[in-house]
Amino acid sequence: MGLGFFVKLQILRALYDAQMTYYPVLAAVGVPVNVVTIAILSRGKCGLSKCVTRYLVAMAASDLLVIIFDLILRQIPIIFREQFGFVRSLRLCNSHAVLLYAVTDCSVWFTVTFTFDRFIAICTPKLRAKYCTEKTAIIVIGTVTTVSCLKNISWYFLYTTRYWLTNSPWFCLVVTMVSRSLGWAVFEFLHYILTPFIPFLLILLFNALTVRSILVANRARRRLQCRSNAESPPDPEMTNRRKSMILLFVISGNFMVLWVVFMVCSILRRLDYLGVPVYLPTFVSEIGFMLQLLSCCTNTFIYAVTQRKFRDEVKNGVKYPIEKMIALIR
């Protein structure tokens, strides 16, 4: 064993120690912030369109479910396996897997559909009136949810009912011969291609097209201003575009940064099982898990930073019970 192996082992041990604090804290923060986000956005007082509000509420709800099914019911029992040893006696793992992968798919694809909706709103004014509506948002969200559930039913038959309680994507027991088979490898490889590799490409594509459209529109506006030789009043259309662009880029950028390690690790690991030898230190995949779960807790803070009315609603929500308590005491 060389020095490199010793260093990697020490990093892995340090990560395991950090996870014993990181995961419980993340759960303690993630559940209430997503509940608060759902409650505030559902009131419809944040100055956002009903269409955008529907997508953001769906994203917060799916993030909340990921925290429950992945962080609380999978990662925390794995890290504290001595305290949660009783989980091995439960016969629910394959059902748990179906729900976990379904809500994870929803979380990822809701981000894609939101990105596409903003692309339509910013880049195609003629189509915007027809597509960027509350009704369309509900249909899209319902379709993504249904397809995600149907797609992941296969895990019920591929996994066993018993928990493995090991730091691995396979948190359910699987027969070794099956896990090493070509059919299994291809299925899991396609699973990670669909989520999150293809969403990555789509988000990059839509954002690139959005940036291009905005640059073209800005150039045209500057040319018109130069010809008029007069200072034009603020353009509400450009102001709305700018706000939509900031929200879109921050949300999609946050998603890509926090998911990229998990995505690379998942695909390289599947390539290894398909016969393409790829070595990746275990601690890298652990970092991928940690960052991926962090992405379920960050959108609330993004809204608070980028949306003034959302901040105001949070402040009002905090002040209201305090004012009531003071009034009762008096």
Side-chain angles (χ1 to χ4, degrees), residues 118-272:
R118 293 301 85 198
F119 161 72
I120 295 294
I122 294 172
C123 302
T124 57
K126 292 181 180 180
L127 185 58
R128 176 176 57 194
K130 294 181 179 180
Y131 183 83
C132 301
T133 63
E134 184 180 17
K135 181 179 178 180
T136 301
I138 292 172
I139 293 172
V140 170
I141 291 167
T143 302
V144 169
T145 302
T146 303
V147 171
S148 297
C149 293
L150 293 175
K151 167 185 169 287
N152 289 289
I153 287 176
S154 302
W155 293 106
Y156 183 87
F157 305 100
L158 292 170
Y159 280 155
T160 67
T161 59
R162 297 182 61 189
Y163 286 89
W164 193 5
L165 284 188
T166 300
N167 262 354
S168 169
W170 302 345
F171 65 104
C172 301
L173 281 173
V174 185
V175 179
T176 304
M177 291 179 61
V178 173
S179 64
R180 294 281 178 174
S181 68
L182 179 61
W184 169 277
V186 170
F187 175 82
E188 196 175 11
F189 183 75
L190 290 175
H191 170 73
Y192 289 117
I193 288 293
L194 289 171
T195 306
F197 183 71
I198 291 178
F200 253 71
L201 296 181
L202 291 175
I203 289 172
L204 285 172
L205 174 63
F206 295 143
N207 281 340
L209 293 173
T210 302
V211 169
R212 179 179 174 274
S213 176
I214 290 171
L215 291 176
V216 170
N218 286 344
R219 288 195 203 103
R221 175 169 170 75
R222 280 196 294 269
R223 283 196 296 268
L224 289 173
Q225 287 178 337
C226 291
R227 288 174 185 172
S228 65
N229 292 321
E231 186 146 346
S232 302
D235 187 346
E237 177 69 18
M238 295 303 295
T239 302
N240 290 335
R241 283 189 176 189
R242 192 178 301 110
K243 291 180 180 179
S244 293
M245 182 183 67
I246 292 171
L247 183 62
L248 167 64
F249 289 168
V250 175
I251 289 177
S252 55
N254 170 74
F255 166 78
M256 289 188 288
V257 168
L258 296 180
W259 271 80
V260 66
V261 177
F262 176 83
M263 181 190 72
V264 171
C265 290
S266 300
I267 292 176
L268 291 182
R269 180 172 165 274
R270 274 294 102 207
L271 286 173
D272 186 40

Side-chain angles (χ1 to χ4, degrees), residues 33-42 46-64 106-107 110-111 113-115 117-118 137 141 243-244 247-248 250-252 296 299-300 302-304 306-307 310:
V33 298
N34 279 291
V35 170
V36 167
T37 299
I38 294 169
I40 290 176
L41 292 174
S42 297
C46 294
L48 301 169
S49 68
K50 291 183 179 181
C51 172
V52 171
T53 299
R54 288 287 185 179
Y55 283 114
L56 298 186
V57 169
M59 290 162 63
S62 60
D63 285 344
L64 176 61
C106 286
S107 177
F110 286 158
T111 305
T113 54
F114 171 71
T115 305
D117 178 87
R118 293 301 85 198
I141 291 167
K243 291 180 180 179
S244 293
L247 183 62
L248 167 64
V250 175
I251 289 177
S252 55
C296 296
N299 280 350
T300 302
I302 290 173
Y303 306 150
T306 61
Q307 303 293 312
F310 184 88

Side-chain angles (χ1 to χ4, degrees), residues 303-316:
Y303 306 150
V305 171
T306 61
Q307 303 293 312
R308 180 183 59 80
K309 290 185 178 181
F310 184 88
R311 290 196 300 273
D312 293 340
E313 286 294 304
V314 173
K315 291 176 185 176
N316 292 336

